[in-house]
Amino acid sequence: MAKFVLAGRADDPYYAKAEILADYLQKNLPDFHVFKITQHPDVWEEWLRDVCEKNKWSHKSSPIIWRELLDRGGKGLLLGGYNEFLEHAQLYYDVTSSMTTELMKAIAQENLEAHIQKELEKDSLKDLIDPLQVWITSASAPACYSLIPILTSGEVFGMHTEISIALFDNKQAEKTLQNLALEMQDLVSPVLRSVSICTRVEEAFRQAHVVIILDDPRTKEVYTMEECLRSRVPLCRLYGYLIEKNALDSVRVIVGGKTFVNLKTLLLMRYAPSIAHNIVAVALGVEGQARAELARKMKTSPSYIKDVIIWGNISGNCYVDLRKAKIYKYESAIWGPPHFSRPVLSLVFDSEWINREFVTTLKDLTATGKQFGGMLAAHSIATTLKYWYHGSPYGEIVSLGVLSEGQFGIPEGIVFSMPVKFENGTWVVLTDLKDIEISEQTMARMTSDLMQEKLVALGDLLYFQPYQPEYKNDLPDLTHEEGKDQVMPDVDYLDLTPKTNSENPFSQELTNDFENISMEQ
């Protein structure tokens, strides 16, 4: 009996040609058997290298074919690639292949699609056996209490995905965590496999699929902006080290709250570099506040307003952009089907309100140090996670804090809220949007503060200096007029810069007591 193993890259035309030949031989020769293995193109080279090292073979391309010699006590006899397999078939079985190049490519594409579908099915089956491990930091915070019912409802990860939730906080919060765990079990959620609590730092984030970073609990008072920024570093360094050490390689980290969210996200990327691409900051809370304020003015539901873009610093100096904002189901002289929308700026006729009251209200809501309510923070985190796993609504713009790679003229190396869409388990920056240019002054105002936050936190800059514009313009009229561009307010009314040291804005700001814990690295 001849037993061959045929392995190859799922999208390789020569693997497809070898596969058809092997199938023909197996069908027509009773003693010929073939076992086929496909690997995704992204992992093929690593898989091939491991196989060759294990068997002491030398082979560099796809496919690789060997003959099993288990009945003789051997490890397998390397035949080679497609050419060697074709020669073997011609020599021993008088069979050859005449497949066209077009057919080879078509079958290779089918193989890749089938491989991806098979992997998805395997992942689904694995989810049924192994629950999704979700870790929540600062789990005694009010936002956690509001977040848990959403996570356990099945709305975020799906009704067919079981989850295990680990509540992580300091030792002083242990009693609170125990009570919370008992109450979670009382929910009798069909998707909640188990609940655990963790107060031992070295055990944090073990086998985590998802890590949710909430605002830190407070135990130590600080007095200046610089102290507050630097106090973020020890905890983020610790979390980054533990995530790298204990979490899965595919872990997704989502940073919520309203305390230096961009900075904490950047620090986590710095101290967990291998998963930096999977660390994001939630901006939907600020977006929700803007949509709700507009809805109150327009006497409609916030859910009917879409595509409000949040640029910049989620927890401070941000820019609320209404140029792409649309409203659905709006009662007016013009009416249409459910998918019909109109630009928000063309329907707000009170220029005084949108130029002043709307802007100053948002300035107050998004000011540095202002906290979200627990429900808003929880809903924003849950919605972002839902989009990450299942995709955002088709055609909608979502705001997300991600590491800048120079898009839209934003300096590289800072975490910046910008427009994205979620699809296929990841996010994509919407760089193809038209007419969303940001003025140099507004961009400088936002990026200056973010870069200074980074430099002060890491000790490369001694003092934080709020951005001061070289000039101040009158506030532009934002109402829709024929022939006038629709722009957002000038810097004067969106100047959310933190206060200087002398104003002592952080006398009530406290830092986490985990910062006193060090880990060997």
Side-chain angles (χ1 to χ4, degrees):
M1 176 183 294
K3 181 179 179 181
F4 289 84
V5 178
L6 169 61
R9 206 177 65 238
D11 64 344
D12 179 25
Y14 287 98
Y15 172 84
K17 195 169 185 178
E19 178 187 29
I20 295 298
L21 178 58
D23 287 344
Y24 176 84
L25 294 172
Q26 183 169 247
K27 181 178 179 180
N28 292 278
L29 300 174
D31 292 332
F32 185 96
H33 296 278
V34 63
F35 179 73
K36 292 177 284 186
I37 302 172
T38 59
Q39 295 292 335
H40 193 279
D42 293 344
V43 301
W44 163 253
E45 291 186 2
E46 182 180 355
W47 183 89
L48 178 61
R49 183 170 59 251
D50 291 343
V51 168
C52 290
E53 287 179 359
K54 179 180 178 181
N55 293 281
K56 294 182 172 57
W57 293 336
S58 177
H59 191 81
K60 302 294 185 181
S61 60
S62 171
I64 180 173
I65 303 160
W66 68 88
R67 183 173 179 179
E68 292 285 4
L69 300 174
L70 298 179
D71 56 332
R72 305 180 195 176
K75 64 182 178 182
L77 178 65
L78 177 65
L79 188 61
Y82 168 75
N83 290 332
E84 290 78 10
F85 183 54
L86 182 61
E87 291 174 4
H88 182 87
Q90 291 172 335
L91 179 63
Y92 286 93
Y93 308 114
D94 196 25
V95 175
T96 189
S97 174
S98 58
M99 183 185 295
T100 63
T101 301
E102 291 75 13
L103 183 57
M104 288 168 58
K105 291 181 177 178
I107 294 176
Q109 182 61 33
E110 290 179 4
N111 281 342
L112 178 59
E113 293 173 358
H115 175 82
I116 293 174
Q117 183 61 35
K118 184 177 179 181
E119 291 299 309
L120 289 174
E121 291 173 357
K122 285 170 61 177
D123 289 342
S124 297
L125 290 173
K126 186 177 180 181
D127 286 341
L128 295 176
I129 301 170
D130 300 324
L132 200 71
Q133 300 290 335
V134 179
W135 281 76
I136 305 175
T137 71
S138 307
S140 62
C144 182
Y145 197 84
S146 298
L147 178 62
I148 285 168
I150 308 177
L151 296 179
T152 57
S153 69
E155 178 184 344
V156 176
F157 303 109
M159 289 302 298
H160 299 292
T161 301
E162 287 192 336
I163 62 175
S164 290
I165 296 179
L167 306 172
F168 177 48
D169 213 320
N170 56 40
K171 188 69 175 177
Q172 290 77 8
E174 187 169 13
K175 184 61 177 179
T176 301
L177 299 187
Q178 291 172 347
N179 292 335
L180 183 56
L182 290 174
E183 194 167 353
M184 289 171 64
Q185 293 169 346
D186 294 341
L187 294 174
V188 197
S189 167
V191 300
L192 182 60
R193 174 80 70 87
S194 64
V195 183
S196 61
I197 65 174
C198 177
T199 58
R200 292 174 57 85
V201 173
E202 63 274 13
E203 296 177 0
F205 312 130
R206 291 197 185 279
Q207 300 300 305
H209 294 92
V210 176
V211 175
I212 300 171
I213 308 290
L214 300 180
D215 276 334
D216 359 328
R218 307 170 176 187
T219 59
K220 180 183 175 183
E221 189 173 359
V222 295
Y223 291 92
T224 68
M225 176 66 144
E226 290 76 13
E227 286 181 310
C228 193
L229 289 169
R230 291 173 185 133
S231 71
R232 309 294 133 179
V233 176
L235 187 62
C236 290
R237 183 193 295 119
L238 177 62
Y239 281 178
Y241 167 72
L242 292 170
I243 291 171
E244 286 262 324
K245 178 184 176 184
N246 295 337
L248 298 178
D249 293 339
S250 59
V251 63
R252 303 180 189 193
V253 181
I254 186 164
V255 184
K258 269 296 259 103
T259 307
F260 300 104
V261 176
N262 296 57
L263 175 63
K264 290 191 295 188
T265 305
L266 182 67
L267 292 172
L268 286 170
M269 292 175 177
R270 179 185 179 91
Y271 297 117
S274 68
I275 53 100
H277 62 287
N278 264 1
I279 305 176
V280 301
V282 177
L284 291 185
V286 180
E287 180 183 320
Q289 290 175 323
R291 290 166 62 183
E293 192 64 25
L294 286 167
R296 282 189 284 270
K297 178 64 176 178
M298 303 178 75
K299 296 181 171 55
T300 186
S301 169
S303 64
Y304 295 163
I305 299 174
K306 310 287 186 183
D307 299 346
V308 174
I309 303 175
I310 308 300
W311 298 92
N313 191 343
I314 297 165
S315 51
N317 205 341
C318 64
Y319 176 92
V320 181
D321 191 344
L322 302 182
R323 288 172 293 180
K324 294 295 181 181
K326 299 190 290 285
I327 185 169
Y328 295 80
K329 302 179 183 181
Y330 188 63
E331 295 185 10
S332 65
I334 302 175
W335 190 257
H339 62 271
F340 174 74
S341 67
R342 300 177 67 187
V344 166
L345 287 178
S346 69
L347 296 171
V348 180
F349 302 107
D350 186 349
S351 60
E352 182 71 16
W353 179 85
I354 197 168
N355 283 328
R356 298 189 183 278
E357 186 177 335
F358 174 69
V359 173
T360 52
T361 299
L362 289 181
K363 174 182 177 181
D364 180 62
L365 289 173
T366 60
T368 300
K370 277 289 185 73
Q371 298 296 310
F372 287 138
M375 285 190 293
L376 178 57
H379 184 267
S380 304
I381 291 167
T383 302
T384 304
L385 271 176
K386 178 183 177 180
Y387 290 168
W388 203 346
Y389 273 85
H390 302 292
S392 52
Y394 178 77
E396 285 191 19
I397 299 172
V398 179
S399 299
L400 186 72
V402 299
L403 186 66
S404 169
E405 297 178 352
Q407 307 97 323
F408 309 108
I410 303 165
E412 296 183 18
I414 58 174
V415 171
F416 202 90
S417 179
M418 61 184 77
V420 306
K421 65 177 178 180
F422 287 90
E423 60 181 8
N424 301 323
T426 188
W427 47 266
V428 179
V429 178
L430 297 176
T431 54
D432 57 347
L433 289 177
K434 305 296 183 183
D435 303 320
I436 58 169
E437 292 78 12
I438 301 175
S439 71
E440 291 184 8
Q441 185 180 3
T442 301
M443 182 66 76
R445 175 173 54 85
M446 292 186 290
T447 57
S448 172
D449 287 352
L450 286 171
M451 289 188 289
Q452 283 195 78
E453 285 184 5
K454 172 184 174 182
L455 293 173
V456 171
L458 296 175
D460 297 324
L461 187 65
L462 193 57
Y463 297 111
F464 183 93
Q465 297 293 333
Y467 173 77
Q468 298 295 332
E470 295 180 3
Y471 60 88
K472 296 186 178 182
N473 294 330
D474 293 332
L475 186 69
D477 186 0
L478 304 185
T479 52
H480 181 65
E481 295 180 17
E482 187 174 350
K484 177 178 286 188
D485 292 335
Q486 296 176 4
V487 295
M488 281 302 295
D490 192 87
V491 63
D492 286 0
Y493 286 86
L494 273 185
D495 189 3
L496 311 181
T497 18
K499 301 185 186 301
T500 59
N501 297 348
S502 60
E503 294 173 274
N504 192 19
F506 294 98
S507 59
Q508 299 303 315
E509 181 65 42
L510 306 169
T511 58
N512 192 288
D513 63 352
F514 283 130
E515 68 182 70
N516 297 320
I517 302 174
S518 60
M519 297 289 293
E520 294 184 4
Q521 302 189 40

